[in-house]
Amino acid sequence: MSKHGTALSDDTIIRVDRSTPVVYPHYWWLKSVAHPEFQAKGPPEYDLATVELWLHKGQESARRVAGNLIKGQKKGRGVSGSLIYEHLLKNNMLVSCLGFADGLEIQKKGILVFRKFFNGKGLYLWNSVAEDLRDGLQVSFLAELGDEVVMGWRWLGHIWDRDDPAARFPKLNFAARAISSSPKSHSPPGKTQSLQEISAQNEVLRPYSAFRRVP
């Protein structure tokens, strides 16, 4: 494989050191990581061919459309990231999702390997959700940009369709008692907010994606 990953590699094994903390780049908008306790979860080695591409039921028949800043779910237009996040939390599924560290290793495999498994799709890494400076939530993802694989972040107020799957580890089952899946609260003492309320408050936030290319 060349420096920029333009030659197809037979090595589709992803290796991640789970024993060291995940180091995030210094994004100007990043306030905190929502679930640092999940970062060490997952296998140290797995094959990309076994990664599950999971869709919320609201994504399954949704088509790609423009102008997707709407609340919740609308027929034919997918489902909001906030509702996907809420579903993953409620069903103890975040810990079985790939995260930022996995994304970096997949990115190193190059564009041809990425297209072989995920052609035309955004690969969402729901293990890594972050809070931004406006108290909104962003999720990391991988996507094609020309002949490169780039890492980006997407606000949960956007709409996800069938081309925006969650990447999940193969055949991993975690006991609910082993993890805490309660949403992290950043509300003032004595007040709680739902994910829908957070999304509504941030409806005016302009979409922002920070891309990181392989050197």
Side-chain angles (χ1 to χ4, degrees), residues 76-94:
R77 297 188 68 178
V79 64
S80 73
S82 294
L83 291 180
I84 295 173
Y85 181 51
E86 188 174 57
H87 178 94
L88 294 172
L89 280 169
K90 181 180 179 181
N91 293 281
N92 300 318
M93 294 169 65
L94 275 184

Side-chain angles (χ1 to χ4, degrees), residues 28-43:
W28 64 266
W29 54 266
L30 194 152
K31 182 177 179 181
S32 63
V33 176
H35 301 282
E37 69 275 18
F38 293 162
Q39 305 295 295
K41 305 294 184 180

Side-chain angles (χ1 to χ4, degrees), residues 109-128:
K109 296 298 182 181
I111 187 64
L112 295 184
V113 170
F114 188 81
R115 284 175 177 164
K116 177 180 178 181
F117 296 105
F118 316 117
N119 189 28
K121 293 179 171 59
L123 192 67
Y124 286 84
L125 311 168
W126 285 97
N127 190 287
S128 295

Side-chain angles (χ1 to χ4, degrees), residues 37-215:
E37 69 275 18
F38 293 162
Q39 305 295 295
K41 305 294 184 180
E45 182 178 296
Y46 56 94
D47 195 319
L48 272 181
T50 65
V51 169
E52 176 190 356
L53 300 182
W54 178 87
L55 295 175
H56 185 281
K57 64 180 181 180
Q59 296 176 262
E60 292 175 356
S61 60
R63 63 186 183 279
R64 179 81 65 184
V65 295
N68 60 357
L69 289 178
I70 59 176
K71 296 179 183 178
Q73 184 178 0
K74 188 173 181 180
K75 186 177 180 181
R77 297 188 68 178
V79 64
S80 73
S82 294
L83 291 180
I84 295 173
Y85 181 51
E86 188 174 57
H87 178 94
L88 294 172
L89 280 169
K90 181 180 179 181
N91 293 281
N92 300 318
M93 294 169 65
L94 275 184
V95 71
S96 66
C97 292
L98 276 64
F100 189 83
D102 298 277
L104 292 178
E105 296 305 315
I106 294 172
Q107 189 181 37
K108 292 175 184 177
K109 296 298 182 181
I111 187 64
L112 295 184
V113 170
F114 188 81
R115 284 175 177 164
K116 177 180 178 181
F117 296 105
F118 316 117
N119 189 28
K121 293 179 171 59
L123 192 67
Y124 286 84
L125 311 168
W126 285 97
N127 190 287
S128 295
V129 173
E131 183 182 13
D132 61 36
L133 295 177
R134 294 286 298 275
D135 295 327
L137 295 173
Q138 310 260 351
V139 61
S140 58
F141 69 95
L142 290 174
E144 298 178 30
L145 184 63
D147 289 330
E148 297 180 275
V149 182
V150 295
M151 180 80 78
W153 293 80
R154 191 179 185 189
W155 176 49
L156 300 197
H158 283 163
I159 296 300
W160 268 245
D161 63 24
R162 62 189 176 195
D163 291 323
D164 303 316
R168 299 185 67 201
F169 296 119
K171 300 179 181 178
L172 283 188
N173 294 308
F174 294 87
R177 65 179 181 272
I179 60 172
S180 171
S181 61
S182 299
K184 184 177 179 181
S185 174
H186 301 282
S187 302
K191 180 181 180 181
T192 60
Q193 290 179 295
S194 68
L195 289 172
Q196 290 87 345
E197 289 173 330
I198 292 173
S199 293
Q201 289 176 357
N202 288 278
E203 194 72 22
V204 297
L205 183 67
R206 290 180 60 85
Y208 176 75
S209 291
F211 292 115
R212 182 180 186 275
R213 293 181 171 84
V214 176

